[in-house]
Amino acid sequence: MQWLTSLNRLANTVIDSLWQANCPLCKRPADRILCKDCDRQIAACQSPKFLQKDYPISPELPLYSWGIYDGALKRAIATCKYNNHPEIMEAISEKIADTWKRSPNTKEFIQQHKKISVIPIPLHANKLKSRGFNQAEILARRFCDLTALPCHPQALQRVKDTKAQMQTKSIKEREQNLSHAFTVPLSHRTSQTNPRSVILLDDIYTTGATIHEAITTLANSNLIVRAVIVLSRPQFKN
Ligand SMILES: [Zn+2]
C-alpha cells in the first residue's frame, strides 16, 4: 500500500501549492500576505518621522503618518482599492500598529486618554457597494486588534456621495463638496458633560479637508479627536 501513501503525499503537495496564495502585488508565491520583496519595498516608503512635525491639522492635534505616498506604497494602495485586494491593508496595518507601539509619545498619550477608541473615515454606501470594502476600516480593525484599542467603524457615517477632492476645482467647491458629508448616528452621540476621545484613521492625508470635516462633525456630537493616524501622506517640503 506504499503507492497509496505516496499518492496521498503527492496529492497533499499539489493541494498545498494550489492553496498557497500569491503576493497580490507581484503575483509571486508568498508565505505571508505580501512577498518579502514587496514587503521590503513598502517598508522603504516609511516616513522618517511618524509624528508630523509641521502639525498640518492644528497645533494641538497630532497627525501621525506611517509612510510617504509614493513608489511601492502608492502602488500598493491603488492595487488594494482598484484591484480588489483588501488584504494588502491588513499587511500594512501591522506596520502602522508596530510603529505606533514603538513611538515615544504613545505611552503618555494612552495614559492621557484612557478610554480612547478608533474611528476610520467612512465611505459613502454607494462607494462601499462598488468597492466592496472600506480600506480605512480594514486598516482600523487590524490596528485595533494589535493595539487592543476599541474600534468603532459605525460611529461616523458618510451621508453625502462626494466627488473625489482631486476633481474639485476651487477651495470653495472643495468645502461645499464636503460640507455636511458626515453624520454621527444617535447611538454614538454623547453629552457635553461626558465627551469621549477618539483617534481618526484614514489611508491618505492630502489637503486635510476630509479630516477637518470629520473632526467638526464628531465634535458636534462630543466625540473629540485627539490624534489622526494615516497610512500615508505625500512628502511635504520642509
Ligand atoms: Zn510581491
Side-chain angles (χ1 to χ4, degrees):
M1 296 296 266
Q2 209 179 349
W3 63 273
L4 198 60
T5 319
S6 305
L7 193 67
N8 239 336
R9 209 172 287 153
L10 180 69
N12 280 339
T13 312
V14 171
I15 288 166
D16 277 356
S17 59
L18 283 176
W19 278 101
Q20 188 182 34
N22 286 348
C23 170
L25 297 172
C26 68
K27 312 291 175 210
R28 286 178 295 186
D31 296 333
R32 306 196 66 205
I33 294 171
L34 302 175
C35 75
K36 283 194 180 116
D37 239 21
C38 291
D39 190 76
R40 208 175 298 131
Q41 286 180 42
I42 288 171
C45 300
Q46 185 169 2
S47 171
K49 293 269 188 241
F50 187 39
L51 174 65
Q52 302 297 290
K53 295 288 185 192
D54 60 336
Y55 284 80
I57 305 169
S58 84
E60 299 82 35
L61 189 56
L63 171 70
Y64 294 91
S65 175
W66 180 84
I68 294 162
Y69 185 63
D70 203 0
L73 184 56
K74 191 173 172 178
R75 286 197 298 276
I77 294 171
T79 305
C80 164
K81 280 158 59 165
Y82 309 117
N83 295 342
N84 192 25
H85 283 293
E87 73 278 19
I88 295 174
M89 282 296 141
E90 293 210 6
I92 300 180
S93 191
E94 292 176 11
K95 297 182 190 301
I96 307 177
D98 192 49
T99 306
W100 170 255
K101 285 194 268 187
R102 286 165 193 258
S103 168
N105 317 303
T106 299
K107 209 173 156 191
E108 197 190 327
F109 179 86
I110 293 294
Q111 273 168 356
Q112 273 176 358
H113 308 290
K114 285 204 174 70
K115 286 188 176 170
I116 203 156
S117 58
V118 176
I119 299 178
I121 292 287
L123 291 183
H124 186 269
N126 291 348
K127 198 175 260 181
L128 188 62
K129 204 172 166 196
S130 64
R131 188 172 295 162
F133 60 90
N134 172 9
Q135 69 283 353
E137 183 175 334
I138 293 172
L139 277 178
R141 285 187 186 278
R142 188 73 187 124
F143 179 83
C144 288
D145 280 350
L146 297 168
T147 55
L149 291 171
C151 191
H152 292 153
Q154 306 303 329
L156 189 64
Q157 290 179 359
R158 201 164 190 140
V159 284
K160 199 164 149 187
D161 196 1
T162 52
K163 287 188 206 171
Q165 281 298 86
M166 285 169 194
Q167 287 170 16
T168 55
K169 289 178 189 76
S170 64
I171 295 174
K172 197 161 182 225
E173 195 190 344
R174 220 170 279 160
E175 281 171 3
Q176 279 171 351
N177 184 36
L178 278 165
S179 172
H180 303 291
F182 300 104
T183 188
V184 176
L186 271 174
S187 56
H188 285 274
R189 295 179 194 172
T190 177
S191 67
Q192 214 164 7
T193 50
N194 188 28
R196 286 209 301 267
S197 296
V198 301
I199 296 173
L200 260 186
L201 209 147
D202 205 2
D203 56 340
I204 309 166
Y205 182 95
T206 43
T207 63
T210 309
I211 295 284
H212 268 287
E213 185 63 25
I215 290 169
T216 309
T217 305
L218 288 165
N220 289 338
S221 294
N222 301 302
L223 298 169
I224 313 301
V225 175
R226 305 291 184 190
V228 176
I229 303 176
V230 293
L231 164 57
S232 65
R233 138 179 225 216
Q235 190 147 33
F236 65 96
K237 309 269 181 283
N238 203 347

